[in-house]
mmCIF file of all heavy atoms in Angstrom:
data_model
loop_
_atom_site.group_PDB
_atom_site.id
_atom_site.type_symbol
_atom_site.label_atom_id
_atom_site.label_comp_id
_atom_site.label_asym_id
_atom_site.label_seq_id
_atom_site.Cartn_x
_atom_site.Cartn_y
_atom_site.Cartn_z
ATOM 1 N N LEU A 111 -12.703 6.776 -7.356
ATOM 2 C CA LEU A 111 -11.281 7.165 -7.308
ATOM 3 C C LEU A 111 -11.021 7.871 -6.020
ATOM 4 O O LEU A 111 -9.999 7.663 -5.283
ATOM 5 C CB LEU A 111 -10.874 7.957 -8.506
ATOM 6 C CG LEU A 111 -9.397 8.009 -8.794
ATOM 7 C CD1 LEU A 111 -8.871 6.638 -9.241
ATOM 8 C CD2 LEU A 111 -9.104 9.002 -9.831
ATOM 9 N N VAL A 112 -11.867 8.871 -5.772
ATOM 10 C CA VAL A 112 -11.684 9.649 -4.549
ATOM 11 C C VAL A 112 -11.780 8.816 -3.216
ATOM 12 O O VAL A 112 -10.901 8.939 -2.263
ATOM 13 C CB VAL A 112 -12.669 10.779 -4.437
ATOM 14 C CG1 VAL A 112 -12.652 11.484 -3.059
ATOM 15 C CG2 VAL A 112 -12.358 11.799 -5.582
ATOM 16 N N THR A 113 -12.665 7.868 -3.181
ATOM 17 C CA THR A 113 -12.867 6.979 -2.053
ATOM 18 C C THR A 113 -11.578 6.242 -1.812
ATOM 19 O O THR A 113 -11.301 5.762 -0.692
ATOM 20 C CB THR A 113 -14.015 6.050 -2.161
ATOM 21 O OG1 THR A 113 -13.866 5.219 -3.269
ATOM 22 C CG2 THR A 113 -15.328 6.798 -2.169
ATOM 23 N N GLN A 114 -10.855 6.024 -2.972
ATOM 24 C CA GLN A 114 -9.610 5.233 -2.756
ATOM 25 C C GLN A 114 -8.490 6.003 -2.023
ATOM 26 O O GLN A 114 -7.504 5.396 -1.494
ATOM 27 C CB GLN A 114 -9.025 4.834 -4.170
ATOM 28 C CG GLN A 114 -8.172 3.703 -4.134
ATOM 29 C CD GLN A 114 -7.489 3.452 -5.428
ATOM 30 O OE1 GLN A 114 -7.984 3.948 -6.491
ATOM 31 N NE2 GLN A 114 -6.444 2.639 -5.445
ATOM 32 N N MET A 115 -8.621 7.346 -1.956
ATOM 33 C CA MET A 115 -7.584 8.149 -1.353
ATOM 34 C C MET A 115 -7.858 8.594 0.035
ATOM 35 O O MET A 115 -6.963 9.312 0.614
ATOM 36 C CB MET A 115 -7.374 9.345 -2.242
ATOM 37 C CG MET A 115 -6.828 9.049 -3.594
ATOM 38 S SD MET A 115 -6.640 10.439 -4.473
ATOM 39 C CE MET A 115 -7.109 9.860 -6.089
ATOM 40 N N LEU A 116 -8.923 8.174 0.731
ATOM 41 C CA LEU A 116 -9.195 8.697 1.977
ATOM 42 C C LEU A 116 -8.189 8.134 2.983
ATOM 43 O O LEU A 116 -7.875 6.935 3.011
ATOM 44 C CB LEU A 116 -10.649 8.280 2.389
ATOM 45 C CG LEU A 116 -11.673 8.647 1.330
ATOM 46 C CD1 LEU A 116 -13.049 8.007 1.730
ATOM 47 C CD2 LEU A 116 -11.747 10.113 1.264
ATOM 48 N N PRO A 117 -7.696 8.993 3.845
ATOM 49 C CA PRO A 117 -6.745 8.545 4.947
ATOM 50 C C PRO A 117 -7.508 7.599 5.908
ATOM 51 O O PRO A 117 -8.464 8.013 6.380
ATOM 52 C CB PRO A 117 -6.244 9.813 5.477
ATOM 53 C CG PRO A 117 -7.233 10.810 5.201
ATOM 54 C CD PRO A 117 -7.900 10.470 3.974
ATOM 55 N N PRO A 118 -6.934 6.365 6.085
ATOM 56 C CA PRO A 118 -7.639 5.452 7.059
ATOM 57 C C PRO A 118 -7.952 6.061 8.383
ATOM 58 O O PRO A 118 -8.906 5.669 9.010
ATOM 59 C CB PRO A 118 -6.680 4.220 7.053
ATOM 60 C CG PRO A 118 -5.521 4.645 6.281
ATOM 61 C CD PRO A 118 -5.692 5.891 5.555
ATOM 62 N N VAL A 119 -7.027 6.898 8.945
ATOM 63 C CA VAL A 119 -7.308 7.318 10.289
ATOM 64 C C VAL A 119 -8.552 8.120 10.345
ATOM 65 O O VAL A 119 -9.283 8.220 11.354
ATOM 66 C CB VAL A 119 -6.089 8.235 10.844
ATOM 67 C CG1 VAL A 119 -5.983 9.562 10.217
ATOM 68 C CG2 VAL A 119 -6.066 8.322 12.333
ATOM 69 N N GLY A 120 -9.052 8.778 9.206
ATOM 70 C CA GLY A 120 -10.196 9.549 9.204
ATOM 71 C C GLY A 120 -11.421 8.619 9.293
ATOM 72 O O GLY A 120 -12.472 8.980 9.697
ATOM 73 N N LEU A 121 -11.315 7.428 8.752
ATOM 74 C CA LEU A 121 -12.404 6.485 8.771
ATOM 75 C C LEU A 121 -12.581 5.744 10.051
ATOM 76 O O LEU A 121 -13.665 5.303 10.533
ATOM 77 C CB LEU A 121 -12.232 5.370 7.673
ATOM 78 C CG LEU A 121 -12.470 5.963 6.264
ATOM 79 C CD1 LEU A 121 -11.945 4.902 5.261
ATOM 80 C CD2 LEU A 121 -13.847 6.260 6.020
#
Side-chain angles (χ1 to χ4, degrees):
Chain A
L111 199 67
V112 169
T113 57
Q114 201 188 343
M115 291 179 216
L116 307 174
V119 75
L121 289 168

